[in-house]
Amino acid sequence: MSTTKIWLSSPHMGGNELKYVHEAFATNWVAPLGPNVTGFETDLESYLGQNSFVGALSSGTAALHLALILLDVKRDDEVICQSMTFSASANPIVYQGAKPIFIDSESETWNMCPIALEEAIQDRISKGKKPKAIIAVHLYGMPFKVDEIRKIANTYQIPIVEDSAESLGSTYKGQKCGTFGDISILSFNGNKIITTSGGGAIVCKSVEQKNKAVFLSTQARDNAPHYQHSEIGYNYRMSNICAGIGRGQMEILTNHVNLRRDMHDFYVNLFANQDGITVFSEPNTDYYSNHWLSCIVVNPDKANGLTREKLRLQLESENIESRPLWKPMHLQPVFADCPYYGGTVAERLFQNGLCLPSGSNLSDDDRNRIESVIKTAL
Ligand SMILES: *Cc1c(COP(=O)(O)O)cnc(C)c1O
């Protein structure tokens, strides 16, 4: 194949990343601490506002794991989790020896269904165990129904872990995603809205909680000249090199969110007169998505028999990456034995949904190629 590959979402540097990385080398701060780590945390804290205390970590998964530890999730506890998400939202529950309880999505934001959530909480309590935490996700950058989920969490006094891995730059009622959880997490993996090549962050509500997270992420060393430990620690801190990339990326975050939103508009226009294809969009103006990935749902009955899979294969044959939506966790072999509450919203989205190339670095030429394949398929 002679054409270059068009990716779903690839790293997009702004320009100053190398400057910060060079600084790290010049001062020999090539370690999991240093001025870039502090600088990146400060950048994130001032961006998020709302009294956020940020700890930079090696991954979003590590941040979720530490969030559950801070919320005292232990062996045989139950933790509620959105079913339609990336497996990293749920895996840390199992790291703790706890049991995931999966919840269906609602069809407006594709995120945790408040009705199924309340049903699950009541049923788990009636079976003798109150869930320890609720892991809610802003999928593809679309904020979940924050008010509804928060109200239920408060009623039953269960903390929310806000998985904001895909939603840095999104807002709900004007407030930034990453500030709604009792603890929130971010990811800077290579395919996310900004990247540190690999990395994540925990967003805490107090400096004490942040310090505890950082303590655990650096092997839980007690204050002593020798290595002294009273708790089990982890090696989860972000390096000063990665944080340098993050500082450069924070300078262009807003710009890249706008470019991703332009990609979403491009697909809205492309499919505007096409029956049977819906572009995933905000339900109303309370929601502002970073449109990390642009997604569509195909209804073959109305789209002249075109299916999600046919479209995916046609794009693939032209060296254009696209991918089915997240396969819900309750349908994954590894979680087959876990309780599930809700209907078939997530399952149907998985059957008919497709993520399309969404990067902030796609050129006019790339868009033309995508458009011509899609037009041919239609
Ligand atoms: C990417 C992602 C994570 C995990 O982040 P990593 O930095 O890759 O460990 C968690 N949850 C969701 C929803 C994600 O998309």
Side-chain angles (χ1 to χ4, degrees):
M1 218 171 304
S2 60
T3 49
T4 51
K5 177 147 185 161
I6 297 179
W7 299 94
L8 209 56
S9 176
S10 66
H12 185 189
M13 295 299 107
N16 280 337
E17 291 83 1
L18 261 182
K19 183 189 89 180
Y20 294 109
V21 172
H22 276 142
E23 270 172 30
F25 273 75
T27 52
N28 204 27
W29 279 107
V30 188
L33 79 171
N36 282 337
V37 174
T38 316
F40 185 40
E41 289 176 346
T42 309
D43 290 347
L44 285 163
E45 284 170 358
S46 48
Y47 178 79
L48 292 171
Q50 303 287 334
N51 261 339
S52 301
F53 298 90
V54 174
L57 302 172
S58 55
S59 71
T61 311
L64 281 161
H65 189 192
L66 292 183
L68 296 183
I69 293 169
L70 291 172
L71 293 173
D72 199 33
V73 171
K74 295 210 231 13
R75 183 160 299 282
D76 297 330
D77 282 340
E78 294 188 350
V79 174
I80 286 181
C81 184
Q82 184 165 321
S83 183
M84 191 165 163
T85 183
F86 180 43
S87 63
S89 303
N91 285 338
I93 303 170
V94 181
Y95 302 165
Q96 285 305 94
K99 180 157 122 187
I101 310 289
F102 290 114
I103 308 291
D104 199 3
S105 295
E106 33 80 13
S107 56
E108 283 191 329
T109 76
W110 299 4
N111 295 309
M112 188 177 275
C113 170
I115 298 164
L117 169 64
E118 184 152 32
E119 185 197 328
I121 294 172
Q122 289 177 349
D123 191 53
R124 298 326 290 177
I125 291 174
S126 79
K127 288 187 162 67
K129 220 169 235 180
K130 183 167 120 174
K132 269 286 187 65
I134 298 166
I135 302 176
V137 189
H138 308 291
L139 224 51
Y140 304 117
M142 184 67 72
F144 59 74
K145 297 200 166 189
V146 174
D147 284 353
E148 289 87 337
I149 301 289
R150 174 48 73 191
K151 185 159 176 274
I152 295 167
N154 287 354
T155 302
Y156 296 93
Q157 304 214 333
I158 304 172
I160 295 177
V161 176
E162 181 193 17
D163 181 342
S164 205
E166 302 176 2
S167 61
L168 185 62
S170 301
T171 65
Y172 173 82
K173 295 189 173 173
Q175 186 178 328
K176 292 201 171 75
C177 289
T179 64
F180 293 109
D182 294 272
I183 300 179
S184 305
I185 74 98
L186 303 169
S187 167
F188 313 112
N189 196 8
N191 60 352
K192 298 289 157 69
I193 190 100
I194 62 167
T195 185
T196 58
S197 80
I202 189 164
V203 185
C204 298
K205 292 290 179 220
S206 72
V207 70
E208 292 78 19
Q209 193 175 47
K210 173 201 161 158
N211 289 343
K212 182 75 200 252
V214 170
F215 166 79
L216 291 171
S217 78
T218 48
Q219 308 286 22
R221 283 186 65 190
D222 293 342
N223 201 0
H226 57 278
Y227 279 79
Q228 170 87 14
H229 306 277
S230 320
E231 280 182 73
I232 294 296
Y234 302 84
N235 186 4
Y236 280 172
R237 193 72 161 132
M238 180 179 279
S239 86
N240 197 49
I241 301 294
C242 293
I245 305 174
R247 287 179 85 181
Q249 291 269 281
M250 282 307 286
E251 295 178 4
I252 45 73
L253 170 61
T254 303
N255 178 244
H256 285 195
V257 168
N258 290 334
L259 291 168
R260 297 245 177 191
R261 288 178 56 84
D262 288 348
M263 280 308 295
H264 171 261
D265 291 345
F266 163 75
Y267 289 115
V268 169
N269 289 327
L270 186 55
F271 293 109
N273 300 312
Q274 181 58 46
D275 286 342
I277 295 187
T278 320
V279 181
F280 183 38
S281 301
E282 288 92 340
N284 60 56
T285 53
D286 288 345
Y287 298 83
Y288 180 90
S289 172
N290 65 13
H291 289 297
W292 169 59
L293 294 186
S294 288
C295 310
I296 55 169
V297 177
V298 182
N299 178 345
D301 297 338
K302 292 189 181 155
N304 296 324
L306 182 71
T307 61
R308 168 306 284 291
E309 197 52 16
K310 275 190 208 161
L311 186 55
R312 191 185 71 78
L313 291 171
Q314 293 212 22
L315 288 162
E316 188 174 78
S317 72
E318 296 294 331
N319 214 10
I320 299 170
E321 186 184 30
S322 69
R323 195 171 294 166
L325 302 186
W326 298 122
K327 180 173 182 176
M329 291 305 115
H330 72 280
L331 302 177
Q332 300 284 0
V334 71
F335 293 123
D337 295 336
C338 297
Y340 170 72
Y341 293 83
T344 57
V345 175
E347 190 171 341
R348 277 181 289 123
L349 285 168
F350 169 61
Q351 276 161 9
N352 297 316
L354 190 67
C355 306
L356 297 169
S358 309
S360 44
N361 50 1
L362 294 179
S363 64
D364 285 343
D365 200 39
D366 294 334
R367 271 188 286 272
N368 289 339
R369 272 174 64 196
I370 296 166
E371 178 163 350
S372 88
V373 178
I374 289 177
K375 287 218 157 128
T376 310
L378 296 172

